[in-house]
Amino acid sequence: MHNVNGDRLIATFLDLVKIPSPSWKEHALIGYITGILKGLGIAYELFPCGESFNLLARMEGTLPGKPGIALSCHMDTVAPCENVKPLATKSRITSDGATVLGSDDKAAVAAFIEAMRVLRESGIEHGPLEFLFSCAEELGLYGIKGFDLSNMKSRFAFVFDSGGRVGRVILEAPYHTTIEVLIKGKAAHAGMEPENGISAIRVLSDILASIPHGRIDAKTTANIGLITGGKATNIVAEEAWAKIEVRSLDRKRVAAVEAKIIAMVKNKAKKAGARAQISRRLEYAGFSLKRTSAVVRRATNALMSIGAKPVYESSGGGSDTNIINRAGIKAVNLSVGMMQVHTTREYILIKDLVDSARLALALVTE
Ligand SMILES: [Zn+2]
């Protein structure tokens, strides 16, 4: 029924990973994808975003009245991703060890292209389809955040951007906020009059050693990720800065942990006679889907139809899925088989690459 051409799919994937596409530098990859779309006679639009573009391809439905769905992935890859030399055996594809492979998320790009080719050549009936290829996902979902999702007509979206074997269905992902703390103390000569200074580094250290950190509960984490401060050893540091993130599947827990951190910063700065500038930002909202929801049921049915066993999980990380859900399109994140991503040991099993394309096809023809 779903006749994915495995050799063609692998060839496309190998082409894709050889095209460098760091975040904001997806232009060559966009050229490759749009070349294929043109050849297939599939309409598309490029939406400028930062230094790059988001790409939306649309296929009209052949079944009148059938509601449309969207498939979504991202085009950028994490460093090191220049000069990728993929090595394919009978069962898996890796890089040569000097770079990432880029199956995150080019396995999805390849799967979507294969699904479109099969639709075009087989004449299988389908509803209206949208294929979204976002840019700059890896830097913090910048592509999808810079895209007006009202351009999309679909009520459901299937994001192909999760790791592990095909079959994983991500039902929930966290809220993620960041807090920047700037402590302003008082400079003084460190040798001649240290008693006249207030060390911002000392105050910040005390704060950072006290705030909630690491795994806080089953749904909540916090991390101090960046820190700078001071100018020289002979100056009592006037300024020190840190950036902290808080994540939780539970919105209220994010707010509670944030409030605790902010209160501790204010309190400790005040006690030390320093000033604190605090800014916080919601990086993205979380989402939570029920197994019985329509979008998850469709994913489940499609997985069963290709003989894959659905495994339902929650994620500690964000993806374009968070933003698409926030915009009112029900979206679920599905695994494409990418393994050990964001490392030079990244690989994908050929079975999973093929299953990803079969899954895309099953979703659009269900
Ligand atoms: Zn990804």
Side-chain angles (χ1 to χ4, degrees):
M1 40 171 233
H2 301 314
N3 297 314
V4 165
N5 180 332
D7 291 339
R8 178 174 65 187
L9 169 63
I10 292 165
T12 305
F13 178 74
L14 295 177
D15 281 351
L16 290 169
V17 300
K18 283 186 228 163
I19 302 169
S21 62
S23 304
W24 296 131
K25 296 193 174 72
E26 298 90 352
H27 305 80
L29 190 70
I30 291 170
Y32 180 89
I33 300 169
T34 54
I36 290 172
L37 295 174
K38 278 180 202 152
L40 292 170
I42 294 174
Y44 65 86
E45 241 182 298
L46 287 169
F47 296 86
C49 177
E51 299 154 39
S52 187
F53 299 88
N54 292 301
L55 165 61
L56 179 63
R58 296 188 181 94
M59 292 179 80
E60 280 175 30
T62 59
L63 294 166
K66 193 169 160 60
I69 65 161
L71 299 189
S72 174
C73 66
H74 65 88
M75 298 183 285
D76 57 319
T77 48
V78 294
C81 61
E82 307 277 349
N83 234 322
V84 174
K85 294 191 180 72
L87 303 172
T89 67
K90 272 201 161 55
S91 62
R92 69 171 65 199
I93 304 171
T94 63
S95 74
D96 64 357
T99 65
V100 297
L101 173 62
S103 59
D104 176 9
D105 196 16
K106 287 169 176 169
V109 178
F112 294 177
I113 289 172
E114 180 59 25
M116 288 188 241
R117 282 173 163 154
V118 174
L119 288 181
R120 272 292 187 252
E121 66 200 14
S122 69
I124 306 173
E125 304 261 59
H126 59 86
L129 303 176
E130 294 175 311
F131 293 89
L132 178 62
F133 302 87
S134 71
C135 61
E137 188 269 354
E138 297 287 5
L139 295 177
L141 318 181
Y142 290 136
I144 197 89
K145 283 181 182 174
F147 179 64
D148 180 358
L149 280 155
S150 70
N151 284 302
M152 292 178 65
K153 308 271 177 290
S154 307
R155 284 169 34 234
F156 298 128
F158 300 89
V159 181
F160 278 41
D161 189 20
S162 184
R165 302 299 306 272
V166 171
R168 285 183 79 227
V169 179
I170 305 300
L171 291 183
E172 50 181 1
Y175 290 78
H176 177 180
T177 63
T178 51
I179 305 169
E180 287 185 54
V181 176
L182 176 65
I183 300 297
K184 290 192 170 179
K186 189 174 165 220
H189 192 289
M192 292 193 275
E193 45 158 19
E195 44 283 286
N196 284 339
I198 299 168
S199 169
I201 290 179
R202 195 78 166 156
V203 176
L204 183 63
S205 310
D206 181 27
I207 291 167
L208 298 182
S210 317
I211 59 172
H213 196 256
R215 162 120 359 244
I216 295 167
D217 60 46
K219 294 184 169 187
T220 314
T221 58
N223 186 55
I224 303 156
L226 294 157
I227 177 168
T228 62
K231 288 210 167 77
T233 61
N234 61 0
I235 307 170
V236 175
E238 188 168 22
E239 291 193 348
W241 171 92
K243 192 167 180 183
I244 304 156
E245 68 156 48
V246 181
R247 297 178 192 229
S248 182
L249 295 169
D250 181 344
R251 189 167 48 84
K252 293 198 190 101
R253 289 292 297 145
V254 176
V257 172
E258 269 192 313
K260 192 167 180 182
I261 291 173
I262 289 168
M264 288 177 100
V265 171
K266 285 183 177 165
N267 198 3
K268 286 190 180 285
K270 195 175 171 196
K271 267 193 190 147
R275 281 182 300 139
Q277 275 177 17
I278 306 163
S279 65
R280 55 87 58 187
R281 199 164 94 117
L282 176 69
E283 298 294 332
Y284 48 78
F287 68 88
S288 180
L289 301 164
K290 292 204 161 64
R291 277 188 206 194
T292 51
S293 63
V295 68
V296 176
R297 280 210 320 267
R298 280 185 82 134
T300 300
N301 291 344
L303 283 166
M304 308 266 264
S305 80
I306 64 160
K309 188 176 180 294
V311 180
Y312 304 95
E313 289 180 23
S314 63
S315 169
S319 69
D320 286 357
T321 324
N322 292 59
I323 307 299
I324 297 172
N325 267 307
R326 192 69 174 174
I329 301 169
K330 288 284 173 218
V332 64
N333 191 3
L334 304 172
S335 173
V336 289
M338 52 169 99
M339 299 288 192
Q340 300 198 32
V341 295
H342 298 200
T343 77
T344 54
R345 300 181 305 281
E346 181 186 352
Y347 70 93
I348 186 166
L349 297 179
I350 287 177
K351 176 173 186 340
D352 279 326
L353 183 59
V354 172
D355 278 349
S356 296
R358 292 173 67 226
L359 178 60
L361 203 52
L363 283 166
V364 299
T365 57
E366 201 200 0

